Structure formats: C-alpha cells, structure tokens
C-alpha cells in the first residue's frame, strides 16, 4: 500500500525484493546493507477480508543485528522496518510511508496533481570493495567494477577517464566503502561510472532549465527524493542583441562574432543561476550529476554554440532535431566532471524543445479530448491533438504581447499596469498595477503609486484594455477607435486622423492609440490563423481544452483572450494557464528516463505544419483581424460575455461616420 499491488513470494524473500518485483519503487542506496535507511516500511496489522489474509508484525523476520545497529545510530521510528533486512514469513499488508516514497514527487498546478515516478539516469550505488591481495593481482578499479557488478548487476561498466587517476585515493579514503554514481540513459546503453565518493553518499542533484528568449527558469532537484530544492530565474541577457528571435538571428548574420557573443552571454547567465540555486539549496555544484535543458530552436542552437542563421529563412533547417546528449563541461557549465546534460528533441524549425517539454507536461497525446496548447511569445508555438494525432506549428506574433511596439508598453515589472476594466456607461477606467495591492479607484492607491510609480502597461493589460475597449464600443470589430465617442467621454482623444483612449492622465500619460490596437490585432491574428490551420488539418471546428503556457500565458485572463480572438471558442472552465509547462516537462525528463523516451517517440510522430507554405493562412489571418473574428462564432464565450453588435468603421472615419449603428 498505497499502490495496492500484490503478489506471492517464497518465505524468506526480503520485502525490498518483493516490492521491486511488483514494480513498487522503494529507495535503497546502500544495496541492502541497512546503512542508508531509505527503504523503511511498516506492517498494517489485522484481518483484511478484501485480500482474504491476516497481516501481522510477526509475519516478518525478527529485527536482526543490521536493523538494530541502524536504529541505534540513525534512529528508526517505532513500527518501522528496513525492507532490505525484513524477510517475509507469512501474509502481510505492507505500507510504504509517504515520507519515504521517493518516486512520489507531486508537481502541483491549477486543477492538476500528478506523480512523477522517479527513474533517473543517475543511480547512486554503495559498495564495499575487496582490499588488495598479493595473491589476487586485480587492480583497484577492476575490483570496484566487480563489486558493482555483483551488488548492482551493472555489467560491462564503462568509466569516465577523469576518475581513473582518483580511484585509488577515493577507495582508501572511504576504507574500501564507496558510493558510485552510475549513469545510464537508455536501457540498452552500457552503464558508465561518472562520479565516485568515499563512504556512503546519500544525495545527488539535477538541474531542469527552460532557456526562454526573454527569461531563463531553473530548478534544482534531488535525484534521490525528487523534491525541488531551489528555483531561480533571470532575464536572458541576449535581449541586448535583439528583442525578438529574428532580430537575434539578424545580429548573427551581420556580426562575425555575434554567435559567440550570444552563446557566451547565455552560458554566463546559466552559470549565475546554477550558483544561485546551489546557494539557496545549500548544495555544492560538485553534487549536480545530471541536467536537462529545453528552449526554442534558436535558444537551443545558441546554447549549444550552433550558428542559427539557417533558422532565419526557409526551409528553416535545424542543425540537429533529435535529443542531444553531452557533458556539462562541453558547454562551459562546470559542475561535477562527470555531469551529463540531456536536451529534449525539437519538433520543427520554429517549434522547439520547449514546446516538446510542454507537450510532455500537458500530454495531449495521452488523452481523448482535442487539446490546444499555446506558448505565447515573440514566436507562438502551437500544438493541437489527442492520442490519435498531434499537429504543431509556429506563428510569428511578434513582441507586441510583451509590451514592445506599444506606445506605453513595457515588460511586466513593478509599476506596470496589469489589469484593466472600463465602465460601459462612463467609459472611465480602473486598473491594477504590479506592486500595488488596491485598484486605481480604491483607497490607498494614490499613496502606493507615489512610491512604486505607474510606468506603463504590460502584456496582460494590453489584452484586457483592447478587449474592454471593444466590449464598451470604443473600438469597432475591425479595431478602429470610434471618434464619435469623444462626445461621451473626454478620454477619447484625437490624434490627427485617428483617435486614442486615455487610460491614465498623469506622469507619464498612458494612452492606447490606434497603432497600439493595430499591433495587437496583427499579433493575435497571426496566432489565431496558426491555430485555425491546425484545426483544419485535424478536421475540427472546435477544441475541447486549451492550455496557455509560459509566463505570459499564466497572467492572461482567458475570458479577455477569447474576447480579443486570441484563442478559439471553448468552454471557459476548460481554458487554463499551465504555467511554465516547458520547465515542468524538463523536470519530468530529469526525474524519469521513461519520459525522455516518451517525448522522443511523440515528437517523431507529431506532424509539423509550416504556416508560410499554407495557402489558407492569409485567409484565416484576414478574418482573425476582426474582434473576436469576422466569420467564426463564439457560442461558449457568448454565454458569459455580451458581445457588442457589429460596428465597422474605416480608419479615416473621424467623427465616427458609422456604417452600422453602434450599441450605446
């Protein structure tokens, strides 16, 4: 228990061995010598009618000298036994206490609880090696390999060269008792000794990292318990070479040392984050033995030191699309000399390892429902499918959602407006600012704003303010600011032949201009057109579930995203932010080799759609310029939001000469 797995075993079988045969993972670093204490279990006593057995403590062998010694030195809680030493003598119901369930690392996200079964590529193996014998002239390393083969069944062991000069000193320091770190990613691979520690080494760590074009997120996890020890994030320093991905490719093309400069910049940032998570978690870099990295194709290539120029134009050729295996030293990330790095496969030229990781985390390929997974950035990555078929594409949304190309836009930071509501009668706004708790119309806001400041508007608020302007009639379905609204509110301002909306009259003055609305329309139309292409490929007219990934997706209000026409119509309770799904997928690949094989197989089956080659993309794009869409109905959205009557205006219709009467 609690897995409920059962089986029959010969009297005298260790409980640990029974658990392993049943596929119930119970940790044991010491190889059954009763020294690590990780394999604790307890017996449930009583008559279990469901199982037709009577379970009792005396159905286990008595506590022996090994368990007694451990209890004296390390304290064994009352009622607990070490499953490596406790032998089965009769019928038993065994409970694996949750505080020792090493494979039960729970990753919690909104409305989602899952267990990541721990099966890491690195295995810590405690062995006791025979001392040298003049009559048996076998070398120290060979006797170590023999001990590992005998105790842990790792035959044909390969050894990292950096360890060979150290083996003798480590064995003697540990008095012939050592812990070997064995790396084996694929089952068919030969196991490899990558690190060796004197005595019992009861911990090892791994890193999971998502290298985003804007931010880098890193998690430090215990490879033995699966728990996240520390997390940290930082801005990607490559931003100084270009806001969006294509501008960075252009920088490489125009500067001979551009690739090297960007590669060095991201590696320096990663080294800084490794230092930070190690300091926060009280961990030495030397104890990090495995790492998983994901990123979009351009980040992926620049991290590896690959020139991304080929990704700047058709046919958008990747230098490498499959999973990549290397050592940390090869990419300038000094940790343990034996530390391995695994990079997830890329899906296509502009759908990267980050999208693959998000797919692994959210699992459209594991469900019957048709799921849309969208990671919105300067280049949106879109995955749509279910267990029968998965298709993927990218769409060039540009940096508008991140505040670029918007007159008062900025990145999400203290002082940025993040939420907006507009009164439908007075057209007066109220808004919420990052770093300030009250809304702008609530007591205490002015005092807080004097300290924090109100500096601009970030992506989530840009979506909300444009959607609110549409819902209140300030803009038409075609995105034209209605100049006739000047008669209703002084917040409608004339700018030559176009109009804008005054969101904040202060210093600085924050307005939403006609050009701002156009920039958002272009970005959302590109995304929606990409989604529609994938829906066409799947032969569907609606999706069952939508996941919004990434930092931006986390803060988007799904209702306003749908009003804007950023995403297709769907029941709102089926639309959720899935957070840094790419980071979650990286952690899954770090903690379980099986997930690596799963995503490698899945990516090989995903159909890649190149939007630039699809004739219908332009048609979908034109329709998607309208709010929420020129031709697509939004019945689910209409259940919770009253969409305005259609009102179309030409860009130059100053004074609001309307083609169709507005609902005022």
């Amino acid at each position: 228990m609690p897995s409920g797995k059962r089986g029959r075993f010969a009297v005298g079988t260790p409980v640990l061995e029974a658990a392993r045969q049943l596929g119930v993972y119970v940790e044991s670093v010491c190889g059954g010598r009763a020294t690590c204490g990780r394999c604790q279990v307890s017996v449930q006593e009583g008559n279990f009618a469901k199982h037709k057995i009577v379970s009792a403590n005396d159905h286990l062998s008595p506590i022996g000298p090994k368990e007694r010694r451990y209890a004296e030195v390390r304290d064994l809680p009352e009622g607990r036994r070490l499953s490596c030493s406790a032998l089965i003598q009769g019928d038993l119901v065994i409970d694996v206490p949750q505080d020792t369930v090493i494979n039960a690392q729970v990753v919690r996200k909104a409305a989602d609880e899952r267990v990541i079964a721990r099966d890491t590529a690195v295995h810590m193996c405690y062995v006791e090696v025979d001392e040298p014998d003049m009559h048996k002239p076998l070398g120290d390393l060979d006797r170590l390999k023999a001990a590992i083969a005998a105790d842990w069944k790792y035959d044909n062991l390969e050894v990292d060269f950096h360890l060979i000069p150290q083996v003798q000193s480590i064995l003697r320091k540990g008095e012939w008792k050592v812990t070997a770190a064995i790396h084996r990613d694929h089952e068919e691979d030969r196991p490899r000794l990558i690190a060796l520690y004197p005595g019992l080494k009861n911990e090892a760590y791994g890193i999971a990292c998502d290298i985003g074009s804007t931010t880098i997120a890193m998690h430090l996890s215990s490879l033995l318990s699966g728990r996240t020890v520390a997390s940290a994030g930082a801005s990607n320093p490559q931003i100084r070479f270009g806001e969006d991905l294509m501008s960075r490719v252009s920088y490489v093309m125009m500067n001979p040392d551009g690739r090297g400069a960007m590669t060095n910049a991201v590696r320096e940032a990663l080294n800084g984050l490794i230092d930070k998570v190690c300091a926060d978690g009280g961990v030495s870099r030397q104890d990090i033995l495995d790492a998983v990295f994901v990123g979009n194709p351009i980040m992926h290539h620049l991290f590896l030191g690959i020139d991304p120029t080929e990704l700047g134009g058709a046919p958008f050729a990747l230098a490498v699309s499959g999973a990549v295996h290397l050592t940390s030293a090869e990419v300038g990330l000094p940790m343990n000399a034996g530390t391995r790095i695994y990079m997830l496969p890329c899906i296509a030229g502009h759908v990267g390892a980050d999208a693959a990781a998000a797919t692994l985390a959210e699992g459209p390929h594991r469900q019957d429902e048709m799921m849309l997974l969208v990671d919105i950035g300067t280049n949106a990555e879109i995955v749509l499918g279910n267990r029968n078929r998965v298709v993927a594409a990218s769409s060039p949304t540009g940096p508008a959602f991140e505040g670029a190309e918007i007159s008062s836009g900025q990145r999400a930071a203290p002082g940025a407006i993040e939420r907006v509501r507009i009164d439908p009668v007075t057209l007066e706004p109220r808004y919420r600012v990052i770093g300030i708790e009250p809304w702008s119309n609530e007591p205490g806001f002015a005092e807080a704003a004097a300290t924090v400041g109100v500096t601009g508007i970030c992506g989530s608020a840009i979506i909300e303010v444009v959607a609110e302007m549409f819902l209140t009639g300030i803009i038409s379905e075609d995105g034209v600011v209605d100049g006739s609204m000047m008669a209703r509110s002084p917040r409608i301002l004339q700018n030559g032949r176009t109009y804008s909306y005054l969101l904040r009259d202060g210093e600085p003055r924050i307005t939403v201009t006609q050009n701002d609305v156009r920039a958002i329309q272009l970005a959302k139309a590109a995304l929606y057109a990409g989604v529609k292409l994938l829906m066409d490929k799947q032969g569907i007219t609606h999706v069952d579930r939508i996941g919004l990934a990434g930092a931006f997706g986390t803060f988007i209000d799904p209702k306003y995203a749908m009003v804007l026409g950023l995403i297709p119509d769907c029941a709102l309770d089926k639309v959720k932010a899935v957070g840094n799904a790419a980071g979650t997928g990286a952690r899954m690949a770090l903690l379980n080799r099986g997930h690596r094989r799963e995503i490698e197989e899945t990516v090989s089956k995903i159909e890649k759609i190149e939007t630039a080659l699809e004739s219908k993309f332009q048609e979908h794009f034109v329709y998607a310029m309208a709010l929420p869409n020129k031709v697509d109905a939004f019945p689910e959205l209409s259940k919770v939001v009253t969409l305005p009557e259609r009102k179309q205006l030409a860009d130059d219709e100053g004074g609001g000469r309307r083609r169709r009467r507005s609902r005022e």
Side-chain angles (χ1 to χ4, degrees):
M1 303 299 267
S3 70
K5 294 185 177 179
R6 69 182 81 179
R8 293 184 177 274
F9 303 91
V11 170
T13 301
V15 173
L16 177 62
E17 179 59 28
R20 285 177 173 168
Q21 289 186 35
L22 290 173
V24 177
Y25 193 88
V26 178
E27 182 64 60
S28 176
V29 173
C30 67
R33 290 184 175 80
T35 57
C36 72
R38 288 186 175 270
C39 66
Q40 296 177 25
V41 297
S42 60
V43 175
Q44 293 187 24
E45 292 194 282
N47 186 347
F48 292 83
K50 175 183 176 182
H51 307 304
K52 299 179 181 177
I53 65 168
V54 174
S55 175
N57 267 308
D58 59 10
H59 291 178
L60 280 179
S61 60
I63 294 177
K66 287 184 179 179
E67 283 182 279
R68 196 172 294 113
R69 184 183 70 238
Y70 178 87
E72 291 170 357
V73 175
R74 302 284 294 277
D75 185 31
L76 187 65
E78 186 176 352
R80 296 277 182 92
R81 296 292 303 274
L82 298 182
S83 61
C84 63
S85 297
L87 308 181
I88 297 171
Q89 303 293 331
D91 293 337
L92 290 161
V93 174
I94 296 290
D95 184 55
V96 183
Q98 290 304 289
D99 61 350
T100 67
V101 180
I102 301 305
N103 62 320
Q105 167 64 20
V106 177
V107 180
R108 297 194 193 309
K109 297 194 300 295
D112 181 13
E113 293 186 5
R114 79 187 79 183
V115 174
I116 300 176
R118 197 194 64 82
D119 180 19
T120 60
V122 175
H123 191 191
M124 303 296 282
C125 304
Y126 175 83
V127 291
E128 296 179 3
V129 181
D130 291 339
E131 295 187 31
D133 187 337
M134 292 181 65
H135 300 289
K136 299 177 182 177
L138 202 60
D140 286 352
L141 176 58
D142 299 284
R143 280 182 283 103
L144 170 64
K145 291 168 70 173
I148 292 172
D151 288 359
W152 296 95
K153 311 306 179 194
Y154 283 124
D155 299 314
N156 300 315
L157 185 69
E158 294 183 329
V159 181
D160 272 6
F161 178 75
H162 72 89
L163 285 174
I164 294 176
Q166 305 175 47
V167 168
Q168 287 192 310
S169 61
I170 294 172
L171 284 171
R172 283 156 180 79
K173 185 177 179 181
E175 297 179 344
W176 308 102
K177 301 175 181 66
V178 292
T179 303
I182 309 295
H183 180 272
R184 183 161 68 178
D185 190 336
H186 289 264
E187 279 301 322
E188 58 269 23
D189 291 345
R190 285 182 64 180
R192 176 173 283 272
L193 178 65
I194 63 170
L196 189 66
Y197 302 91
L200 175 66
K201 180 72 171 176
N202 224 0
E203 195 55 280
Y205 298 91
I207 280 174
C209 184
D210 174 22
I211 307 173
S213 56
T214 304
T215 57
I216 304 172
M218 181 178 288
H219 307 285
L220 176 67
S221 296
S222 165
L223 296 178
L224 295 179
S225 70
R227 66 190 177 92
T228 299
V229 177
S231 298
S235 295
N236 189 328
Q238 292 177 344
I239 288 174
R240 66 177 181 264
F241 301 103
E243 281 274 341
D244 59 82
L245 295 172
M246 284 302 102
S247 63
R248 294 181 204 177
V249 174
S250 297
Y251 184 88
V252 172
M253 295 169 70
M254 293 185 293
N255 295 273
D257 61 346
R259 197 279 306 156
M262 278 196 271
T263 294
N264 291 337
V266 74
R267 290 180 182 177
E268 285 176 13
L270 290 170
N271 272 311
L273 281 176
I274 293 170
D275 285 338
K276 179 165 175 45
V277 293
C278 285
D280 291 348
V283 171
S284 166
R285 286 177 79 121
Q286 289 296 312
D287 289 338
I288 299 173
L289 298 179
D290 202 9
V292 173
F293 286 86
V294 301
N296 62 57
I298 292 172
M299 294 301 98
H300 172 281
H301 278 34
L302 287 171
F303 168 63
L304 292 174
I306 300 170
D307 189 326
T309 301
E310 292 296 330
L311 294 171
F316 312 108
L318 289 155
V320 55
S321 57
V324 178
H325 304 260
L326 62 155
T327 65
S328 63
E330 289 173 316
V331 286
L333 301 180
M335 291 180 269
N336 190 291
T339 303
R340 280 351 193 228
I341 287 178
Y342 172 83
M343 294 195 74
L344 271 68
C346 291
I347 296 174
H350 284 295
V351 189
D354 53 348
T359 301
L360 175 62
E362 296 307 313
H365 58 288
R366 294 190 291 261
Q367 55 189 286
D368 295 322
E369 288 185 310
M370 187 62 69
M371 180 181 185
L372 172 67
L373 184 61
V374 184
D375 190 344
I376 305 169
T378 55
N379 190 69
E381 295 173 312
I382 314 163
V383 177
L384 174 68
N386 57 18
R387 68 174 74 252
N388 297 319
R389 184 188 183 201
V390 180
V391 293
S394 66
S395 209
T397 52
F401 292 134
E402 296 179 348
E405 300 178 357
I406 304 299
S407 59
S408 298
Q410 68 165 87
R411 296 195 183 279
I417 295 173
E418 63 172 343
R419 293 276 178 260
V420 178
R421 301 291 182 268
I422 300 176
D423 187 283
V425 177
T426 66
L427 304 187
E428 284 297 302
R430 60 189 182 95
Y431 49 83
R432 191 168 184 177
V433 176
I434 298 174
I436 300 176
E437 189 63 29
W439 284 69
S440 60
N441 63 333
E442 293 177 346
F445 176 84
E447 294 80 2
T451 302
V452 176
V454 182
T455 53
I457 181 168
C458 71
S460 60
I462 291 168
I463 285 178
E464 291 191 5
V465 72
V466 175
E468 282 278 310
M469 289 169 70
F470 171 61
L471 291 174
T472 54
I474 296 172
I475 59 176
S476 67
E477 70 165 338
D478 288 331
V480 179
V481 181
D482 188 351
S484 71
M485 288 288 194
M486 289 179 68
R488 284 183 52 186
S489 171
R491 289 191 175 273
I492 310 301
L493 308 176
Q494 186 165 4
N495 309 106
R497 298 178 62 186
T498 62
Y499 298 84
S500 59
Y501 177 73
L502 179 62
L503 181 59
R504 179 177 188 265
D505 191 6
E507 186 57 43
R509 203 171 197 228
I510 298 174
T511 61
V512 182
T513 69
Q514 183 65 69
N515 286 339
D516 294 340
V517 176
R518 281 285 175 260
I520 292 300
Q521 283 180 279
L522 289 167
K524 75 98 175 180
L527 174 57
Y528 193 91
V531 172
K532 283 290 290 183
L533 275 181
L534 296 191
M535 293 174 69
D536 290 347
K537 296 296 180 181
Q538 290 280 20
I540 60 172
T541 56
H542 76 280
V543 297
D544 300 315
R545 184 180 298 276
I546 300 175
L548 301 172
F552 184 54
T554 300
F555 295 101
I556 294 176
D557 185 317
K559 180 179 76 174
Y560 287 102
M562 207 173 289
V563 169
L564 194 67
L566 187 69
I567 53 177
D569 189 60
C570 182
L572 280 174
D573 61 354
K574 296 289 188 178
V575 183
K576 66 172 184 174
V578 296
N580 183 12
T584 299
R587 286 188 56 248
M588 292 171 67
L590 175 70
L591 296 174
N592 192 307
R593 298 176 300 162
H595 288 312
R596 301 182 185 188
R597 307 294 84 79
E598 176 189 350
I599 195 58
E600 289 166 4
E601 181 182 358
T602 300
V603 165
S604 71
K605 296 177 180 177
I606 292 177
E607 298 174 44
K608 298 85 176 176
I609 310 301
E610 183 50 63
T611 56
L613 301 178
E614 296 291 332
S615 58
K616 289 208 70 176
F617 181 84
Q618 190 63 30
E619 178 185 328
H620 288 317
F621 180 87
V622 171
Y623 288 148
M625 283 291 288
L627 302 174
N629 192 279
K630 183 71 74 175
V631 295
D632 288 351
F634 281 73
E636 292 293 338
L637 177 63
S638 298
K639 293 177 183 178
V640 293
V641 175
T642 302
L643 294 174
E645 293 178 12
R646 303 238 170 191
K647 174 172 69 171
Q648 296 173 320
L649 301 170
D651 278 336
D652 59 354
E653 283 196 78
R657 293 191 302 276
R658 285 162 286 169
R659 297 174 184 167
R660 195 171 299 179
R661 182 177 178 80
S662 69
R663 178 173 149 272
E664 297 180 4

